[in-house]
């Protein structure tokens, strides 16, 4: 009974993580300019990664593997946003402007761009 | 040739594709840094060749677990493990040579270096910037 | 330029092929050192390739023909994963079957690396040592010594500095774990050395090369460089002078297995020391150069 | 279950490769490479479970630690044009 429950929990976590990672990757390809792409790459990846790791942790039970997974999660929790921050900062300093910031709404955008 | 052959030899063919990519870069590019990148790709293909030969079907990583299991061949792993680190060290040596060539000739293009050598040997006009 | 991705792919592939030790090395090398080396060379040479005026057809034909010949050659090769392939029938079964009894450690790769084929590894370490010396000989003359003026190495990147500070400790700790856990899991001196060096490289990248040199002077690194090889060779010599074969560790401990354990530990320590010293000194040599880049190169 | 996760991660990696290849600016490429690295960490972890030997998480752990070094090196290189120290005044950002 407990095993089944654990399986179900880890299944849900893994799938949620997968969906988030896939959305992130899709956004990375589909988003119109660099600053938009930061969001799928940075935010969804961090949450998706942590969810997948959590799912694996539930699956592994309480052992050295769990500790390692926990460490991986902790380090990724730090480094992933840091890299994103560094990339964004470097791009801004290098003078990369948000493409659509000053552009009036294009016809096909249906007015939903910022 | 049947289907089993195709799948059984697929790993070698991928290695060959990778190897030829590296070879092409080495042969066709005049830029010395690019040549070293090509050599690195070539090197990686050799690594993959060894490792894929060491794989045994149904085998697992060669770290004993106590249970009787089939293990992959550890010998290629040992050879390649050291080769990777040696590869980095020798790449560094090659890159250091490139840096010195840049200092001496003010260029890392093979053609221009050749031209400068010809000029010093047979007389003639040195390309701009070469010492 | 982002050859790092290449390393990610190959590491994934290697894990799939059960070569965890090799994947570990590839991960350690590819994630940091090789990118940094390439970039520092690019910083010292030109970024752009000048237009290539060579004919492209001839190399393409040559490459294509060579490839076809090689493909023809593979037709006789053993099939992928075939347990009866010649490569598996020679010495490998001995390694797999005898390691538990003779060396007494679970990781066969480490046992083969440090004990059965200790000569090979000694040669490899010497090659790395020689390459490190070569880099120093080529580049040491032009290293810029002191810097007048402010070091502007990412001073204003507060987030980066803090996170790097947090991370360097775990990286060093992890390197030690890899170094001494190599008997039981994937790891060993080669990987640990590279990871150790990477910690110093990231420190130099974020806090400035001068700061890193103050923490770990180049002179010390050069001494470590030679000490590592000496430890390896010295371990071999101990058994040599006690009437055994060179690098036969059985004499080092009370029992043969204990001796093997001690010997492998010492040898791996020497390997780790040399590898990390070579990597750090190579980085110092490359990064300490005066960038000769003129603006038209960019 | 693990197979599905691994497949999803592989698909995500393929998409990141698309961006890596297409990325109009350098920073897009760095971003894609970074996210590719994150996914490799996950994939290696999942593959450990898939093959039933999850004690090889060390490789993932290593990547989690070292993933951002490459990113920082690239960014520093393209900003300061050197990986060493740059003296004030030369190599303006």
């Amino acid at each position: 009974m407990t095993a089944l429950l654990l399986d179900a929990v880890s299944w849900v976590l893994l799938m949620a993580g997968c969906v988030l990672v896939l959305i992130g990757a899709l956004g990375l390809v589909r988003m119109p300019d660099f600053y938009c792409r930061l969001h799928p790459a940075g935010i969804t990846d961090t949450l998706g990664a942590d969810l997948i790791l959590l799912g694996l942790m539930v699956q592994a039970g309480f052992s050295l593997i769990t500790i390692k997974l926990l460490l991986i999660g902790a380090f990724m929790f730090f480094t992933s946003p840091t890299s994103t921050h560094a990339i964004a900062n470097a791009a801004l300093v290098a003078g990369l402007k948000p493409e659509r910031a000053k552009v009036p709404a294009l016809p096909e955008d249906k007015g939903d761009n910022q | 040739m049947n289907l089993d052959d195709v799948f059984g030899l697929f790993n070698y063919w991928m290695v060959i594709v990778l190897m030829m990519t590296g070879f092409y870069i080495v042969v066709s590019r005049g830029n010395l840094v690019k040549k070293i990148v090509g050599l690195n790709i070539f090197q990686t293909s050799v690594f993959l060749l060894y490792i894929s030969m060491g794989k045994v079907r149904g085998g697992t990583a060669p770290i004993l677990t106590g249970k009787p299991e089939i293990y992959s061949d550890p010998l290629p792993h040992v050879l390649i493990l050291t080769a990777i680190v040696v590869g980095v060290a020798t790449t560094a040596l090659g890159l250091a040579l490139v840096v010195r060539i840049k200092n001496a000739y003010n260029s890392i293009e093979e053609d221009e270096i050749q031209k400068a050598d010809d000029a010093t040997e047979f007389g003639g006009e040195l390309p701009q910037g070469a010492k | 330029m982002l050859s790092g991705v290449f390393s990610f792919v190959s590491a994934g592939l290697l894990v799939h092929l059960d070569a965890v030790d090799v994947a570990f090395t590839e991960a350690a090398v590819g994630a940091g050192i090789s990118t940094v080396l390439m970039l520092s060379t690019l910083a010292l040479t030109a970024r752009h390739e000048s237009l290539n005026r060579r004919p492209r057809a001839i190399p393409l034909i040559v490459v294509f023909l060579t490839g076809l010949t090689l493909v023809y050659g593979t037709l006789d090769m053993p099939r992928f994963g075939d347990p009866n392939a010649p490569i598996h029938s020679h010495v490998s079964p001995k390694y797999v079957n005898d390691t538990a009894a003779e060396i007494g450690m679970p990781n066969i790769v480490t046992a083969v690396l440090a004990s059965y084929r200790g000569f090979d590894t000694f040669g490899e370490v010497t090659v790395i040592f020689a390459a490190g010396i070569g880099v120093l000989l080529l580049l040491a003359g032009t290293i810029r010594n002191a810097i007048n003026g402010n070091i502007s190495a990412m001073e204003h990147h507060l987030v980066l500095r803090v996170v790097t500070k947090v991370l360097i400790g775990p990286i060093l700790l992890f390197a030690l774990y890899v170094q001494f856990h190599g008997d039981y899991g994937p790891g060993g001196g080669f990987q640990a050395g590279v990871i150790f060096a990477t910690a110093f490289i990231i420190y130099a990248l974020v806090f400035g090369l001068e700061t890193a040199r103050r923490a770990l002077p180049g002179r010390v690194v050069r001494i470590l460089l030679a000490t590592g090889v000496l430890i390896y060779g010295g371990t071999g010599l101990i058994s040599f002078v006690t009437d055994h074969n060179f690098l036969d560790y059985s004499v080092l401990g009370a029992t043969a297995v204990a001796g093997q354990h001690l010997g492998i530990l010492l040898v791996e320590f020497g390997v780790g020391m040399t590898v990390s010293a070579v990597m750090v000194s190579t980085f110092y040599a490359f990064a300490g150069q005066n960038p000769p880049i003129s603006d038209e190169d960019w | 279950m693990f197979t599905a996760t691994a497949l999803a991660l592989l698909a995500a990696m393929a998409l990141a490769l698309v961006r890596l290849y297409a990325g109009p600016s350098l920073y897009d490429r760095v971003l894609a490479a970074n996210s590719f690295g994150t996914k490799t960490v996950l994939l290696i972890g999942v593959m450990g479970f898939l093959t039933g030997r999850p004690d090889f998480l060390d490789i993932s752990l290593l990547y989690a630690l070292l993933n951002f070094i490459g990113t920082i090196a690239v960014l520093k290189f393209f900003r300061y044009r050197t990986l060493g120290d740059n003296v004030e005044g030369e190599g303006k950002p």
Side-chain angles (χ1 to χ4, degrees):
Chain A
M1 181 58 209
T2 324
L4 189 71
L5 193 70
L6 281 183
D7 259 2
V9 169
S10 104
W11 203 86
V12 168
L13 285 171
L14 280 179
M15 284 306 123
C18 279
V19 167
L20 275 178
V21 167
L22 271 180
I23 291 175
L26 207 62
L28 193 62
V29 174
R30 294 281 301 160
M31 283 287 182
D33 86 342
F34 170 71
Y35 291 94
C36 298
R37 281 177 212 133
L38 276 174
H39 293 256
I43 300 169
T44 40
D45 261 16
T46 313
L47 184 58
D50 281 343
L51 278 179
I52 289 183
L53 288 175
L54 215 62
L56 291 181
M57 262 184 252
V58 172
Q59 193 63 219
F62 194 75
S63 63
L64 185 64
I65 296 163
T66 320
I67 311 255
K68 279 182 190 166
L69 284 169
L70 208 63
L71 282 176
I72 295 175
F75 289 134
M76 277 223 294
F77 191 74
F78 280 118
T79 55
S80 185
T82 312
S83 327
T84 317
H85 161 82
I87 297 170
N89 190 355
L92 193 68
V93 170
L96 193 69
K97 290 277 180 317
E99 263 169 43
R100 307 220 174 157
K102 299 183 189 76
V103 181
L106 295 172
E108 68 267 28
D109 277 341
K110 301 186 180 71
D112 61 352
N113 64 332
Q114 303 284 309
Chain B
M1 180 186 286
N2 53 32
L3 204 64
D4 187 43
D5 282 355
V6 173
F7 282 110
L9 296 173
F10 191 67
N11 61 323
Y12 301 115
W13 295 345
M14 281 300 106
V15 166
I16 288 171
V17 167
L18 204 56
M19 195 178 265
M20 287 305 114
T21 314
F23 188 40
Y24 178 71
I25 295 174
V26 174
V27 176
S28 71
R29 295 301 164 121
N31 186 305
L32 293 178
V33 176
K34 286 249 166 98
K35 272 184 196 288
I36 288 181
V37 172
L39 275 179
N40 271 338
I41 294 176
F42 198 103
Q43 198 184 21
T44 313
S45 79
V46 177
F47 297 163
L48 283 181
L49 173 69
Y50 269 64
I51 298 297
S52 67
M53 277 160 85
K55 168 83 178 170
V56 179
R57 193 176 295 116
T60 173
I63 294 181
L64 302 173
T65 48
K67 293 167 286 191
E69 280 185 82
I70 309 171
Y71 296 107
S72 285
D73 201 340
L75 186 58
H77 297 180
V78 174
L79 300 179
I80 296 311
L81 192 163
T82 50
I84 290 177
V85 182
V86 170
V88 177
T90 47
T91 304
L93 188 64
L95 291 175
L97 277 172
V98 172
V99 170
R100 289 312 295 259
I101 287 173
K102 165 80 179 175
N103 285 349
Y105 288 89
N106 197 23
S107 162
I108 53 167
E109 300 291 330
E110 210 179 31
D111 303 344
E112 293 170 23
I113 294 166
Q114 189 67 42
K115 223 182 281 170
D117 269 352
D118 288 349
T120 41
E121 197 168 341
F122 307 116
E125 205 162 321
L126 278 174
Q128 198 207 347
K131 293 168 198 135
Chain C
M1 223 133 285
L2 294 170
S3 59
V5 173
F6 191 61
S7 137
F8 287 131
V9 179
S10 20
L13 193 60
L14 291 172
V15 173
H16 187 64
L17 291 171
D18 295 339
V20 275
D21 269 289
V22 182
F24 213 79
T25 323
E26 177 68 41
V29 166
I33 302 261
S34 54
T35 317
V36 168
L37 274 182
M38 278 292 164
L39 286 176
S40 44
T41 313
L42 285 179
L44 296 172
T45 57
R47 181 180 163 203
H48 294 294
E49 181 178 29
S50 72
L51 272 178
N52 201 340
R53 290 171 301 276
R54 304 169 164 214
R56 299 244 164 152
I58 298 170
L60 205 59
I61 293 169
V62 168
V63 163
F64 199 69
L65 286 180
T66 323
L68 276 186
T69 322
L70 286 174
V71 168
Y72 178 69
T74 59
L75 294 182
D76 290 336
M77 296 286 274
R79 302 295 179 262
F80 176 68
D82 184 2
N84 300 318
I87 180 174
H88 303 310
S89 61
H90 203 47
V91 283
S92 303
K94 176 181 158 24
Y95 295 150
V96 173
N97 294 328
D98 294 354
T99 296
E102 285 182 7
I103 315 284
M105 56 177 53
N107 190 351
I108 306 177
V109 173
T110 308
V112 176
L113 178 88
S115 185
Y116 287 118
R117 303 191 75 86
F119 262 129
D120 270 10
T121 313
F122 191 44
E124 307 269 19
V125 174
T126 319
V127 171
I128 295 173
F129 175 70
I133 297 281
V135 171
L136 285 179
L137 280 178
L138 281 170
L139 293 182
T142 47
I143 289 181
R144 179 173 52 177
N145 279 322
I147 290 181
N148 313 314
N150 292 327
I151 302 167
S152 62
M154 301 191 140
E155 284 290 331
H156 49 283
H157 279 199
L158 185 65
V159 179
L160 270 188
R161 290 166 69 91
V162 170
V163 171
T164 312
K165 239 180 228 171
V166 171
L167 272 182
I168 282 179
I171 294 179
L172 288 177
L173 198 64
F174 187 65
L176 289 177
Y177 165 77
V178 170
Q179 169 85 51
F180 293 111
H181 195 256
D183 311 355
Y184 300 99
F190 283 98
Q191 295 92 328
V194 174
I195 300 170
F196 210 77
T198 313
F200 281 99
I201 289 176
I202 181 76
Y203 185 68
L205 280 181
V206 175
F207 292 92
L209 185 64
E210 228 17 70
T211 331
R213 276 213 197 119
R214 243 171 266 145
L216 185 71
R219 209 157 38 83
V220 176
V221 181
R222 287 197 286 280
I223 292 171
L224 288 178
L225 184 75
T227 317
V229 182
L230 271 181
I231 290 178
Y232 199 135
T235 314
L237 275 182
I238 291 177
S239 49
F240 203 44
V241 296
T242 49
D243 265 2
H244 280 74
N245 288 327
F246 186 62
L247 291 173
D248 181 359
Y249 312 128
S250 333
V251 290
L252 293 175
T255 60
V257 170
Q260 292 282 358
H261 264 287
L262 186 62
I264 289 176
L265 208 64
L266 279 173
V267 162
E268 291 274 13
F269 187 62
V271 170
M273 200 184 259
T274 303
V275 170
S276 62
V278 166
M279 297 299 162
V280 172
S281 62
T282 307
F283 175 73
Y284 280 179
F286 272 103
Q289 300 282 314
N290 266 317
I293 290 180
S294 48
D295 274 343
E296 60 264 30
D297 278 348
W298 283 76
Chain D
M1 175 166 64
F2 295 131
T3 321
T5 317
L7 282 179
L9 283 172
L10 276 178
M13 282 161 91
L15 288 173
L17 270 187
V18 169
R19 175 51 67 197
L20 190 73
Y21 181 75
S25 73
L26 167 83
Y27 303 99
D28 287 302
R29 287 171 210 266
V30 179
L31 190 66
N34 190 39
S35 122
F36 193 87
T38 314
K39 277 153 204 149
T40 318
V41 174
L42 295 174
L43 184 70
I44 292 178
V46 173
M47 260 160 75
F49 279 86
L50 199 61
T51 49
R53 306 274 310 252
D55 34 348
F56 303 138
L57 280 171
D58 293 355
I59 302 168
S60 271
L61 188 53
L62 177 65
Y63 263 138
L65 278 170
L66 299 189
N67 186 15
F68 89 133
I69 290 177
T71 311
I72 288 181
V74 172
L75 292 178
K76 180 165 184 190
F77 170 67
F78 280 100
R79 180 144 169 206
Y80 299 108
R81 298 180 187 180
T82 169
L83 291 182
D85 295 339
N86 58 326
V87 182
E88 207 120 297
E90 70 180 50
K92 290 175 222 57

